[in-house]
Amino acid sequence: MQNNIIISNSRNLERIIKSISKGGTEKLHVLSDFDKTLTKAFIEGQEVHSIIAQIREGKYLTPDYSPRAHALFDRYHPVEIDLRIPLKEKKKAMHEWWDMHFKLIAECGLDKKVMMEIVRKRKLRFREGALEFIDLLHQHNIPLVIMSAAPGDMLRMYLEQEKRLYDNVYILANLFEFDRGGRVVRVKEPIIHSMNKDETALQDFPVFEVIKDRRNVVLLGDSLGDVGMIEGFDYSSLLKIGFLNENAENNLKAYRKSYDVVVLNDSDMNYVNELMRRIIGQ
């Protein structure tokens, strides 16, 4: 396992752990991405579809949905991953993509029954140790704030299915409005996408009242953009843990600059759990 753990600066990591631990659990909260952070990126060598991609890849909606959704993917995904494109331009493109896709979803008949069917198939799997991680936070009443570009209603269903939608878990994600029959009408603003988490201010959500005095933060993400989740929050100590699931040779340098700990190769969360137990004093 240790071969998959990269520590950017050992001395700095120990300093952060000591500082957070000294503050106690009542001063701590966890801020985490969902897809490919708390969940696996690959299963048996095959990439696991994100929540939104599970809708796109399945034959759940009207026949024209999948080709239209794939056309949007083919148009916008290259922009998302092209490091040469300025961030401002990327953000504009990602908002267009998410907005058009959510409108397409509503037009093509997504409803609560389809969502539950997708969740029941369990094609998305939690990373080994992730459920224990959630349990550990619950046992010590440490808020877990999940910020995700995924459909929040389905994210909630996944946690409910695993009996992990605890009262200390808060979900900041894209939420749908439904008609009386449970069919999606529209997505609620603001839309969260992969490039604007730095603009999704925690202060704008009710959870801020829960965490505003918990200024020690453990942040988990799988993209460089996930570090932006903490933007605007007046933290005291911050421990950043990044999951670099693929292309480590090309991306490790950038991840080491952004994260204090980098977990390689879609590995488990055992080391993360060890860190949390050290912080908690367990």
Side-chain angles (χ1 to χ4, degrees):
M1 181 192 73
Q2 295 297 335
N3 292 337
N4 289 317
I5 303 299
I6 303 294
I7 297 170
S8 299
N9 183 319
S10 298
R11 184 175 295 179
N12 190 50
L13 176 62
E14 290 302 315
R15 180 189 61 78
I16 295 170
I17 291 171
K18 185 176 180 180
S19 176
I20 295 178
S21 183
K22 186 177 179 181
T25 56
E26 66 276 6
K27 296 294 183 182
L28 173 64
H29 79 271
V30 174
L31 180 57
S32 180
D33 176 50
F34 187 74
D35 280 319
K36 301 181 181 180
T37 296
L38 294 178
T39 66
K40 291 281 291 178
F42 295 90
I43 295 176
E44 297 176 355
Q46 297 295 312
E47 186 171 5
V48 179
H49 293 310
S50 64
I51 292 180
I52 199 74
Q54 288 180 58
I55 302 172
R56 187 177 63 233
E57 300 301 323
K59 296 179 180 178
Y60 300 105
L61 308 184
T62 56
D64 63 323
Y65 166 71
S66 187
R68 291 170 69 186
H70 276 98
L72 288 174
F73 179 86
D74 292 342
R75 176 180 172 185
Y76 286 103
H77 183 60
V79 177
E80 182 180 27
I81 63 175
D82 192 336
L83 298 177
R84 299 168 297 179
I85 297 174
L87 182 59
K88 185 177 180 180
E89 191 177 330
K90 280 192 176 198
K91 285 182 176 181
K92 183 173 182 281
M94 291 306 100
H95 188 275
E96 286 176 2
W97 182 10
W98 258 249
D99 183 49
M100 285 192 283
H101 192 203
F102 284 135
K103 286 176 180 174
L104 179 62
I105 278 173
E107 180 186 332
C108 295
L110 182 66
D111 59 23
K112 289 182 179 179
K113 288 182 180 178
V114 169
M115 293 182 190
M116 291 175 68
E117 180 185 350
I118 294 170
V119 171
R120 277 197 298 265
K121 288 183 177 179
R122 292 180 180 268
K123 289 188 177 181
L124 180 149
R125 297 186 197 172
F126 283 87
R127 193 180 294 271
E128 185 182 338
L131 298 180
E132 290 80 359
F133 177 75
I134 297 171
D135 289 341
L136 184 63
L137 299 180
H138 176 63
Q139 289 160 15
H140 294 273
N141 197 30
I142 299 169
L144 168 60
V145 182
I146 299 174
M147 185 183 292
S148 175
D153 305 279
M154 291 181 68
L155 200 162
R156 178 179 290 270
M157 289 175 186
Y158 273 110
L159 288 167
E160 285 178 335
Q161 182 169 255
E162 301 295 338
K163 297 180 172 56
R164 293 315 197 282
L165 190 58
Y166 296 129
D167 56 7
N168 67 308
V169 177
Y170 303 86
I171 298 171
L172 308 185
N174 292 304
L175 296 174
F176 295 126
E177 290 182 14
F178 300 92
D179 64 17
R180 290 184 178 180
R183 181 166 169 161
V184 172
V185 177
R186 66 181 65 85
V187 68
K188 297 178 183 178
E189 292 284 350
I191 293 175
I192 302 174
H193 55 73
S194 59
M195 295 294 163
N196 73 341
K197 289 182 179 179
D198 61 325
E199 298 174 355
T200 308
L202 293 167
Q203 289 91 324
D204 295 339
F205 294 86
V207 69
F208 181 68
E209 289 301 313
V210 177
I211 64 171
K212 65 181 181 180
D213 295 322
R214 291 175 172 266
R215 293 174 56 192
N216 293 330
V217 187
V218 175
L219 182 150
L220 281 69
D222 74 293
S223 74
L224 297 176
D226 285 335
V227 177
M229 292 188 291
I230 198 65
E231 198 75 27
F233 184 79
D234 187 20
Y235 61 84
S236 297
S237 294
L238 173 64
L239 173 57
K240 297 171 290 181
I241 302 171
F243 293 86
L244 178 49
N245 298 310
E246 58 183 326
N247 297 327
E249 296 167 355
N250 297 326
N251 295 322
L252 181 56
K253 185 176 179 180
Y255 272 68
R256 289 187 69 160
K257 283 184 178 180
S258 294
Y259 289 101
D260 302 298
V261 177
V262 182
V263 181
L264 301 176
N265 302 320
D266 200 24
S267 300
D268 57 49
M269 287 188 67
N270 293 339
Y271 179 78
V272 178
N273 288 337
E274 286 177 19
L275 283 183
M276 287 305 302
R277 291 190 188 99
R278 283 187 61 194
I279 288 170
I280 292 166
Q282 182 174 311

